[in-house]
Amino acid sequence: MRILIVYGTGEGQTRKIAETLGGQIRRADHHVEVHRGDQLPEGLSPAACDGVLVGASLHAGHHQAYIRRFIRRHLSDLRAVPSAFYSVSGSAASSDPAAQAQIRELVEVFLAEEGWQPDRWATFAGAIPYTRYGSLKRWVMRRIIARAGGPTDTSRDWELTDWEEVARFGAGFLELVEGKVPSTVRRPVGQELLS
């Protein structure tokens, strides 16, 4: 089977998750292509795939515009095959239920605005690359993250992604593509009933 993964990233964690999911799919003996959404090869057609996974990072309440354009351009293809979406943000690492609910709501609004109901979707915690930020951004991010109860040591980078959660998401997506579970039940990860 042929799987397409398209992602949008700001600082690289969404790309890392896309590549990890791509590796998981390859180990299941499927062909997978992983592409950044603003660097797609000419002639790439999601319609020629057996499944499509889309990922985007959330910054200031918005996902990448080029991911929105990809979804709009290929909406009928995304509706025709098993599809999934994941959103990456530092806020997804929060232990505050209200913050988690806000992230889920942002994803639901994003998907509704695009008219896409993927078979699965998830929110993943990203990373905080303090050492790659300029001094002003580092200071601002430290203050935001401190309010959320996150790590504030700016002398190092922090990876917050739960890789086991990513693997479960990938496994569920593979079950959809392989026809082991129906693609008509559309729920966010953590709320789905897997057989």
Side-chain angles (χ1 to χ4, degrees):
M1 296 192 156
R2 184 174 180 213
I3 311 298
L4 174 63
I5 300 177
V6 175
Y7 67 89
T9 193
E11 289 149 356
Q13 194 68 8
T14 310
R15 174 193 49 79
K16 189 173 182 180
I17 292 170
E19 290 173 352
T20 298
L21 290 165
Q24 182 179 6
I25 292 166
R26 279 185 198 94
R27 287 188 298 279
D29 291 327
H30 298 299
H31 174 77
V32 64
E33 291 185 43
V34 180
H35 298 287
R36 185 172 159 139
D38 59 349
Q39 300 171 356
L40 297 172
E42 191 69 33
L44 181 74
S45 173
C49 298
D50 298 295
V52 181
L53 236 170
V54 179
S57 57
L58 192 59
H59 295 275
H62 301 282
H63 293 93
Q64 284 82 9
Y66 58 87
I67 293 299
R68 281 186 180 271
R69 286 191 297 273
F70 173 82
I71 292 169
R72 287 176 185 164
R73 187 176 307 121
H74 300 288
L75 187 58
S76 62
D77 297 332
L78 293 171
R79 289 176 174 165
V81 298
S83 65
F85 176 76
Y86 68 92
S87 176
V88 179
S89 69
S91 301
S94 175
S95 59
D96 178 11
Q100 289 290 329
Q102 182 181 25
I103 295 297
R104 286 192 301 275
E105 183 178 337
L106 287 170
V107 172
E108 289 171 345
V109 167
F110 170 76
L111 294 172
E113 287 174 352
E114 300 313 316
W116 179 34
Q117 291 185 328
D119 296 296
R120 288 176 61 95
W121 64 265
T123 60
F124 299 131
I128 307 167
Y130 282 125
T131 64
R132 292 186 285 168
Y133 294 153
S135 58
L136 178 60
K137 185 172 183 178
R138 186 178 313 118
W139 180 80
V140 170
M141 291 302 295
R142 185 180 184 280
R143 289 180 55 92
I144 292 169
I145 291 162
R147 278 183 290 200
T152 57
D153 176 359
T154 61
S155 68
R156 59 169 284 206
D157 296 337
W158 296 86
E159 185 172 83
L160 307 174
T161 305
D162 180 340
W163 293 106
E164 290 180 12
E165 184 181 5
V166 171
R168 284 191 300 273
F169 177 74
F173 178 68
L174 279 170
E175 287 180 341
L176 284 168
V177 172
E178 293 168 346
K180 295 178 182 173
V181 295
S183 64
T184 56
V185 178
R186 293 182 162 100
R187 296 189 183 102
V189 167
Q191 298 177 18
E192 76 279 2
L193 303 173
L194 296 178
S195 55

